[in-house]
Amino acid sequence: MPNLLREDEKSTSSSDSSTHQLTVALAGNPNSGKTTIFNLITGARQHVGNYPGVTVEEVRGVCKFGQTRMDVIDLPGTYSLTAYSAEELVARQVLTEGKPDVVVDIVDASNLNRNLYLAIQIMELQLPMVLAFNMSDVAASQGLKFDLDMLQQRLGLKIVPMVGNKGTGKDDLLSAVTETTRQAETATGSLPNYGEEIERELVELQKAVEESALLTDLPPRWIAIKLLEGDSDIREKLAHTELADLADKAAQRLESELGDNPEALLADRRYGFINGVCREAVQSTVESRRRVSDRIDAVVVSRILGLPIFLGLMYLVFQLTFTLGGPPMEWIEAAFGWLAVTIGGLWPTGSESLLRSLLLDGIIGGVGGVLVFLPNILFLFLAIAILEDSGYMARAAFLMDRLMHKIGMHGKSFVPMLIGFGCSVPAIMATRTLESRKDRLVTMLVVPLMSCGARLPIYALIIPAFFPSKWHGPMLWIIYLIGIALAVFCAWFLKKTVLRGETPPFVMELPPYRLPTLRSVLTHMWNRSSAYLKKAGTIILGISILLWAMQQWPGLSATQVGEFETMRTAIATDSSLDESFRDLRLEEIDFAEAEATLQSSLMGRVGSVLEPVLKPCGFDWKISTAMVGAFAAKEVFVSQMGIVYSLGEEQDEESEPLREKLQANYTELQGFCIMLFCLISAPCMATIAVTKRESNSWMWALLQLAGLTFLAWVVTTAVYQAGQLIT
Ligand code: GDP
Ligand code: MG
């Protein structure tokens, strides 16, 4: 449920002349630039993406303009106001029940015909409205010219040309909003005329609605239209009333008279009305962007080349992530190395103190290990932002649509999955765009198989540790593909078994291609990276300290420590040994002591309980404990490995980076299995929590947790055992 406006939040515009308070709702088709304009006028930084379904819940912000304070609501993008999908219902509810003072309909001016369809429906709700003709740069480049005076007159409302992503038209829009007050309400422009037969029925129904005095806060004509269309929401509200009967009869009459159902007839008339208006007021000269887009699409989504191009682009993205991310990664690594040596130098050599270990092993080893991968994260999200903003991601969903159809779902499910490349939490929330509850559940359950950003540090640690550099890009690509393949497989499996059901028809929308703007791409990248930094400074820091403590405590007993001491003295005083050999032996003893401390620690004990379970996957107790830590946040895997391998290790200029230590301790096969397990296994806590909230049931959340962990175990064990047979 959207949080609808409460009575007391609403306009107080008439009472006080010095400050006005207005509630403004932003409506518009997906991709018309709604979020861009929302951000522009409220100064917020909401996610902007060039594919449908990004905004699923309305988002609020405040905008001050002169003496007016506006509460701005960004509604989910919709093409219409039917009751078929969650977004449309949310949008509609806010419009009807929230009673905004002004609606701003953001229209993609380069695609006027389709965009006006929504505008017409809002006009029928008799809400005061301003049209923002966004993307007027694109419209101009297509050679479209608008007779704005005529359009304003015909539609009876103000129209403001805008270029949202450049900030053009902001003040014009805001002053148009303040001028369009409630009083100006009933527009003088004309609404579609539905033709003699339909109008006759509408007039009758409207009269009946007025007499019934039901749903009085909605315009009677609008109710009549919705009744005739068989709108499920209004029908439900008026079920068992005389009105429902009347509407049924009217619909039947029209159907036999005109040979089609009223819903389709009304839609036709609306488009007819729009076409008429546009023919009068829009002049088109040259080549359209649509046509350019269509020409690109003939190749990019073609049956033969579509998939190879998708795979190729993904490959390129991952290759780039490593090649560009490599050098800055080494700089950060060197910086942390220097920091460790400097901090370590504050204590005299040979002295062990808890604080020193906490700083060096717990914090620098743990959090530093994670921060090293910031450049990779940055470049991956840069690439994804470009793909999204250009409109390519929508094509990817379109391509997957074909595949998804084969397994009984539609490509709309793939949009949340694409968002899942960033983070599963918003991805699971994005499943709200799916109409069927069963499809929603299926999608929610498999979304975590899409490799999220938090897993990247794990891959970025493991891949260079075990594979030669020409394999870096390809390995990452393979891991991501395994995730997609498993997600599709699991969706198919769930759809065949527990969650069988019909999938409503759906036409995938392909927005036109667009050159991404620097600002939007950078915002996107910044949002991601700052989230990563924040996580490193909070959750990961906290858990690293906890894990570090678990590895210190309870420590060796006095007798054990004594034994190691005796061994040391024995060697130190043995004059038959030559000096270098003696040093070597002493180092071995230090190492053995650290190992013994770790194994008897709390963490070591947890690890040894887990070891037999995870052994078939090729994991020792160190990896096993890191896997447990990864449940809190995936990056913790990296920090935990960093802690384990920096404990009992002298910090000096020769300390090797973590990946070299891993290389010395594990095989390639084990490295691959680590990635596989991290990819598939239990998503992080936040994901489980959001699955619980969105599915409204612990059962599905726990099923996701247990199912994915089990799947991870089975797949990893199979791969490890098979791999061992071969090598
Ligand atoms: P929403 O789905 O309606 O919220 O649309 P967004 O605000 O996410 O914008 C979709 C895409 O259009 C983004 O890539 C924006 O940067 C871009 N965009 C927004 N306004 C304009 C505009 O006026 N001109 C151009 N060329 N692009 C725009
Ligand atoms: Mg949006």
Side-chain angles (χ1 to χ4, degrees), residues 29-36 38 46-49 51 53-56 59 74-77:
N29 288 13
N31 255 318
S32 56
K34 255 167 5 68
T35 304
T36 306
F38 177 82
Q46 287 293 328
H47 175 96
V48 175
Y51 53 86
V54 171
T55 312
V56 283
V59 179
D74 185 21
L75 299 179

Side-chain angles (χ1 to χ4, degrees), residues 29-36 47-50 55 134-138 162-165 389 514 517 520:
N29 288 13
N31 255 318
S32 56
K34 255 167 5 68
T35 304
T36 306
H47 175 96
V48 175
N50 190 7
T55 312
N134 196 32
M135 315 253 175
S136 23
D137 56 333
V138 185
M162 295 191 77
V163 184
N165 55 352
D389 283 2
R514 220 169 261 148
T517 60
S520 124

Side-chain angles (χ1 to χ4, degrees), residues 543-554:
I543 291 174
S544 293
I545 294 175
L546 182 77
L547 291 177
W548 169 84
M550 282 174 74
Q551 283 160 69
Q552 296 291 322
W553 194 80

Side-chain angles (χ1 to χ4, degrees), residues 43-198:
R45 257 206 235 109
Q46 287 293 328
H47 175 96
V48 175
N50 190 7
Y51 53 86
V54 171
T55 312
V56 283
E57 204 176 4
E58 99 271 1
V59 179
R60 292 157 154 271
V62 173
C63 160
K64 290 227 170 65
F65 180 66
Q67 300 290 3
T68 314
R69 184 193 131 101
M70 303 179 194
D71 273 323
V72 187
I73 315 172
D74 185 21
L75 299 179
T78 60
Y79 297 105
S80 175
L81 288 179
T82 57
Y84 285 128
S85 73
E87 301 122 303
E88 294 189 15
L89 272 177
V90 168
R92 189 160 120 179
Q93 224 147 8
V94 176
L95 289 177
T96 56
E97 291 168 31
K99 291 257 151 58
D101 296 295
V102 182
V103 180
V104 174
D105 183 12
I106 315 284
V107 167
D108 175 354
S110 69
N111 206 342
L112 200 56
N113 286 43
R114 172 152 25 89
N115 279 253
L116 282 181
Y117 192 77
L118 178 69
I120 298 293
Q121 303 208 15
I122 300 173
M123 279 160 62
E124 283 182 331
L125 272 171
Q126 290 178 12
L127 293 165
M129 179 160 65
V130 174
L131 284 187
F133 268 30
N134 196 32
M135 315 253 175
S136 23
D137 56 333
V138 185
S141 75
Q142 285 174 14
L144 292 177
K145 286 210 183 73
F146 305 106
D147 184 341
L148 286 183
D149 286 336
M150 180 190 288
L151 272 172
Q152 301 195 76
Q153 210 180 353
R154 291 284 271 123
L155 300 173
L157 32 78
K158 287 206 163 59
I159 298 179
V160 184
M162 295 191 77
V163 184
N165 55 352
K166 303 251 162 61
T168 320
K170 176 183 164 189
D171 287 348
D172 292 340
L173 178 71
L174 294 176
S175 50
V177 167
T178 44
E179 285 160 28
T180 306
T181 52
R182 268 204 159 284
Q183 285 68 29
E185 187 170 339
T186 351
T188 48
S190 59
L191 281 168
N193 180 300
Y194 290 107
E196 203 190 317
E197 297 88 350
I198 300 178

